[in-house]
Amino acid sequence: MVEEQEQQESRLTVVLALATNLGIALAKTVAAVITGSASMASEAGHSFADTANEVLLLTALRRSRRPADRRHPFGHGTERYIWSLLVAVCIFGMGALFAFVQGAQAILGGEAEHKNALVGYLVLAVSAVLESISWRQAFRQTRQGARADGQSLLAFLRSTDDPTTKSVLYEDSAALIGLLLAAAGLGLHQVTGSAVWDGVASLLIGVVLTVAAFLLGRTNLDLLIGRQAQPRILEGVKRLLMTAPEIEALVDLMTMTVGTGEVLVCARLDFRDDLGAADVERACVRLSEELRASHPDVYEVFLEPVPRDDPGLRRRVIERYGRPPSYWAAGER
């Protein structure tokens, strides 16, 4: 139920951003034609790119929720990261590069006089109001997620496995900064009569979009490679396994995010020597159920009985972490 509510909230955030960006893009295009402003044209390109991005994010939300099947036993959760990575590419390819081209043309094109600059100011003002509504929805959802995880907003943005709302928040933040830059460029061009200011504003808009694209691209690339579970889940899994009465030692623990709110847990455990095969089997089933009950994000659990003194296994674990992991007792290191 909670996951479905989060899904609906994410969809609402994206749909609101889509409607907002499409209307703003059309208004900015008309204003760019009327005023002849390079920065306004850059902002129009930016908004059209954002509109396309929301379509990609809606596709990501729909396709990533498909259930697991024979060919995809771990589900389709990582598909959300692929579509979100395309959003980052789109921000740079359609938004930033277009802004750089417009800025260069304005600077190299010499003097030009704005026509009907008032239209540009009005469109920018209305766009700022609409973008603020979309930004507020994305910020509210992000803040709710941070509070639910007991994290600060910045820590949540760094660790969240849901790129959808994060993408909208970054897009809208970049859009609001872009509107300020476009207004400054429009005003300085009008005051000085020099198109250089308009071109500089357009170039700065391109820089802002490049930064947003880089941040989103890095996040989704990290998730696609296979990032471990969030710290709160990791610590909870460790604590539950290490306090189980059947377990003598947690030898190895690997987790991987396989989708938004979906974590794969693989643990190698040294069970008590006095347990029989049936006891170990029942313990594995019970521990798997307890992990899922304690952490709804746990999607699949694999528990493997191993001896903790196996030298090859110990060597591989230490090579992965560069040192003995924290869950090994001091005497076992």
Side-chain angles (χ1 to χ4, degrees), residues 10-60:
S10 295
R11 188 177 292 110
L12 172 62
T13 299
V14 176
V15 169
L16 179 60
L18 172 62
T20 299
N21 285 319
L22 180 59
I24 291 174
L26 295 174
K28 287 178 180 176
T29 300
V30 174
V33 172
I34 293 176
T35 63
S37 168
S39 57
M40 185 65 71
S42 297
E43 275 297 296
H46 174 193
S47 293
F48 275 117
D50 283 351
T51 303
N53 291 340
E54 312 316 334
V55 175
L56 293 176
L57 291 176
L58 286 175
T59 303

Side-chain angles (χ1 to χ4, degrees), residues 2-326:
V2 174
E3 185 176 349
E4 182 63 27
Q5 290 176 348
E6 291 177 350
Q7 181 82 357
Q8 292 176 355
E9 186 79 10
S10 295
R11 188 177 292 110
L12 172 62
T13 299
V14 176
V15 169
L16 179 60
L18 172 62
T20 299
N21 285 319
L22 180 59
I24 291 174
L26 295 174
K28 287 178 180 176
T29 300
V30 174
V33 172
I34 293 176
T35 63
S37 168
S39 57
M40 185 65 71
S42 297
E43 275 297 296
H46 174 193
S47 293
F48 275 117
D50 283 351
T51 303
N53 291 340
E54 312 316 334
V55 175
L56 293 176
L57 291 176
L58 286 175
T59 303
L61 287 172
R62 179 176 61 85
R63 293 182 62 85
S64 66
R65 301 313 303 173
R66 290 180 296 165
D69 54 38
R70 190 172 182 178
R71 293 184 60 191
H72 307 91
F74 292 110
H76 299 77
T78 53
E79 190 166 345
R80 185 180 298 197
Y81 307 144
I82 295 173
W83 289 97
S84 298
L85 182 61
L86 291 177
V87 168
V89 174
C90 189
I91 289 175
F92 180 73
M94 292 180 60
L97 291 181
F98 182 74
F100 286 137
V101 170
Q102 288 293 314
Q105 288 179 345
I107 292 174
L108 299 176
E111 302 299 317
E113 183 180 354
H114 272 321
K115 298 173 290 183
N116 297 317
L118 180 60
V119 174
Y121 293 127
L122 290 175
V123 168
L124 289 173
V126 173
S127 298
V129 173
L130 296 177
E131 289 284 7
S132 296
I133 295 174
S134 177
W135 181 89
R136 183 179 180 182
Q137 166 66 18
F139 179 78
R140 184 179 65 83
Q141 186 180 353
T142 304
R143 186 174 58 184
Q144 286 178 349
R147 288 176 175 174
D149 285 352
Q151 295 179 297
S152 67
L153 186 63
L154 291 178
F156 178 78
L157 287 173
R158 286 194 296 266
S159 64
T160 181
D161 59 6
D162 183 3
T164 306
T165 305
K166 182 176 180 177
S167 297
V168 176
L169 181 64
Y170 281 14
E171 284 178 5
D172 290 345
S173 298
L176 289 171
I177 295 173
L179 290 172
L180 292 175
L181 292 172
L186 192 65
L188 290 171
H189 187 172
Q190 186 180 18
V191 171
T192 64
S194 173
V196 171
W197 295 108
D198 203 20
V200 169
S202 185
L203 292 177
L204 291 175
I205 291 171
V207 171
V208 170
L209 294 178
T210 300
V211 171
F214 172 77
L215 292 175
L216 288 176
R218 185 176 63 178
T219 296
N220 288 285
L221 182 61
D222 189 32
L223 290 166
L224 280 171
I225 291 172
R227 192 173 69 187
Q228 73 173 10
Q230 296 181 19
R232 63 178 179 83
I233 299 176
L234 195 62
E235 292 303 319
V237 170
K238 289 180 187 177
R239 185 166 52 252
L240 191 150
L241 293 176
M242 293 175 69
T243 56
E246 300 90 346
I247 306 300
E248 286 193 348
L250 174 58
V251 181
D252 191 13
L253 175 62
M254 292 184 291
T255 62
M256 184 171 70
T257 300
V258 295
T260 300
E262 296 176 347
V263 174
L264 174 68
V265 175
C266 302
R268 293 186 172 102
L269 306 168
D270 185 6
F271 286 85
R272 291 197 338 252
D273 292 338
D274 61 331
L275 296 178
D279 296 324
V280 172
E281 290 171 350
R282 284 192 290 269
C284 287
V285 172
R286 194 195 81 248
L287 289 171
S288 296
E289 292 175 349
E290 289 179 359
L291 285 172
R292 290 191 178 92
S294 302
H295 305 283
D297 286 350
V298 172
Y299 179 69
E300 282 289 356
V301 179
F302 296 92
L303 303 178
E304 180 185 3
V306 298
R308 59 181 161 181
D309 56 355
D310 181 78
L313 178 57
R314 292 173 66 89
R315 184 181 64 254
R316 290 196 299 273
V317 174
I318 292 175
E319 286 175 350
R320 184 189 315 133
Y321 295 105
R323 63 182 185 279
S326 60

